[in-house]
Amino acid sequence: MKDFSVSMALVDYIPVIFFGIAAVLLMRDLYNKMSKGAFALFAAGTIDIFCAGALKATYKLLYAAGVCDFEALNAMFFPVQSIGFLLAGIGMVALVCHKQTKTPLLSVAPPVFSGTFVFVGLMVLGLGMMDVVLCIIAAKMKKPGLIAFFALSFVCSLCMGYLSSQDFAQASMNWIAEGVNVVGQGCLLAGAVMLHKNGLADFRLRKGETTC
């Protein structure tokens, strides 16, 4: 039995909403700075992340309300979200590197693998690339104070990586993870909002840059 409550499930939607708003702001502001390929990767990745988080929160809500134990929604969370973070991270790196990179395909091994550390690693890597690029953008815009928001967002993602290895059947671990996630996505949203208000949409990252 999992110790979920309806209030816990509803709180789980908060970081999802925070991330969704931040992603929309960044997509709007960075659209004219990205190649079509880079933007497609970033957009697809952020949509994956948002959907994974929303479906996981919905799983908790259905379970807590006694509707059903929709295990598929829970099982798909790490694979979908980790791939989303990786795609979004690659898209952001392409923004500053002017080149696309291909990620190697993972071969499927015969043994059954049920661990989550691979997905956690991809998630942290992807978010790390996003936050690094956002820190670079903040520095170029001469807003170094905003780096703290993106740095704290990344630290929270590292904490989430650790917490993911704990027993999430306990209510206490879920509340701690939700608190860390709210802070992390809240920092990402705050940084994105301030970049937006400081004119990210019209800012030229490079001299002679033209809009797409």
Side-chain angles (χ1 to χ4, degrees), residues 4 15 53-54 63 83 102 107 109 123 147 153 160 166 178 182 190:
F4 295 156
Y63 189 97
I83 291 171
K102 295 182 179 180
S107 58
M123 180 179 68
I147 293 175
S153 170
M160 288 297 294
Q166 305 304 303
E178 287 182 0
V182 167

Side-chain angles (χ1 to χ4, degrees), residues 26-45:
L26 290 172
M27 281 192 283
R28 290 180 62 183
D29 289 346
L30 297 175
Y31 177 76
N32 63 349
K33 300 168 177 46
M34 287 180 156
S35 66
K36 291 181 179 179
F39 183 80
L41 287 170
F42 180 70

Side-chain angles (χ1 to χ4, degrees), residues 119-152:
F119 302 119
V120 172
L122 291 176
M123 180 179 68
V124 172
L125 175 63
L127 183 58
M129 289 190 289
M130 282 179 58
D131 285 328
V132 167
V133 173
L134 289 171
C135 287
I136 292 172
I137 291 174
K140 285 179 176 289
M141 293 179 68
K142 301 188 186 308
K143 300 293 179 182
L146 300 185
I147 293 175
F149 287 97
F150 300 122
L152 183 55

Side-chain angles (χ1 to χ4, degrees), residues 58-120:
T58 300
Y59 163 76
K60 288 185 179 180
L61 184 60
L62 291 174
Y63 189 97
V67 177
C68 65
D69 184 358
F70 203 155
E71 183 57 31
L73 298 182
N74 184 41
M76 68 185 290
F77 173 71
F78 270 121
V80 173
Q81 189 173 75
S82 60
I83 291 171
F85 272 116
L86 184 62
L87 291 176
I90 293 172
M92 290 294 280
V93 170
L95 169 66
V96 295
C97 292
H98 264 297
K99 62 181 179 181
Q100 303 294 337
T101 57
K102 295 182 179 180
T103 55
L105 296 175
L106 296 176
S107 58
V108 180
V112 175
F113 176 75
S114 59
T116 60
F117 69 90
V118 172
F119 302 119
V120 172

